[in-house]
Amino acid sequence: MDEPLVLHEDDLPVERWDDPSRGSVVWRTLFSGDRTATSGMTVGIAELPPGEPDPGPAHRHAPPEVYYLLAGEGVMEIDGAPTPVRAGSAVFIPGLAEHRLVNTGTTTLRLLYAFGIDSFADVTYLFPGEPVAGS
C-alpha cells in the first residue's frame, strides 16, 4: 500500500558498481517498492566521478528511464548518438535503447534517475553481448 513518504538521500545506503564490466557509479535508491511503501515509480540519485578513463560499456534495460542532471557535465550516448549534457538537462531513454553517460567535467556528475516501475529489483541490466530475454 502506498503511503506518503519524505526521505533524505543522506539517510539511505550507498550502492555502487566499480568494475570494468559495469563501470564506476554510486547511487542511492530513494523510492522503490521493494524498499519503500511506494509503487509505480523507482527513483534515485546517481553520481559519476570525474576523471574516469573509461566509464564502462553502454547498457540497456526494458523499462524506459529518465535522467535529470543535477550537477556536472558529460556526454549522453543513446544508441551510439552522443549529445552534450549539463546540469539542468533532462534525458528520456526509450526501453531497450543502448545508453551510457560519460562524465567529461572536472567535478562529480550527479543525476536523478526514474523508472516507471514498482521496484529497482525489476530492472534487468543488459551489457554488450548479453541477449534480450525471449530473443
Side-chain angles (χ1 to χ4, degrees), residues 9-121:
E9 72 175 286
D10 289 343
D11 297 331
L12 301 170
V14 173
E15 300 174 72
R16 72 179 65 240
W17 287 338
D18 196 9
D19 67 64
S21 66
R22 292 185 172 223
S24 181
V25 61
V26 172
W27 73 93
R28 292 179 187 198
T29 303
L30 300 172
F31 303 108
S32 177
D34 59 340
R35 302 167 190 209
T36 55
T38 58
S39 66
M41 296 285 304
T42 296
V43 180
I45 301 287
E47 295 184 347
L48 301 167
E52 288 295 315
D54 182 359
H59 65 275
R60 54 197 160 106
H61 36 70
E65 185 175 18
V66 169
Y67 288 173
Y68 180 77
L69 276 70
L70 302 168
E73 60 185 301
V75 173
M76 184 75 226
E77 297 176 9
I78 302 175
D79 288 334
T83 303
V85 292
R86 59 185 166 77
S89 295
V91 179
F92 175 76
I93 304 160
L96 294 178
E98 191 170 74
H99 60 282
R100 75 179 187 158
L101 180 57
V102 179
N103 183 347
T104 58
T106 58
T107 62
T108 297
L109 191 153
R110 286 178 43 85
L111 66 116
L112 180 125
Y113 64 86
F115 295 99
I117 58 172
D118 288 333
S119 172
F120 191 71

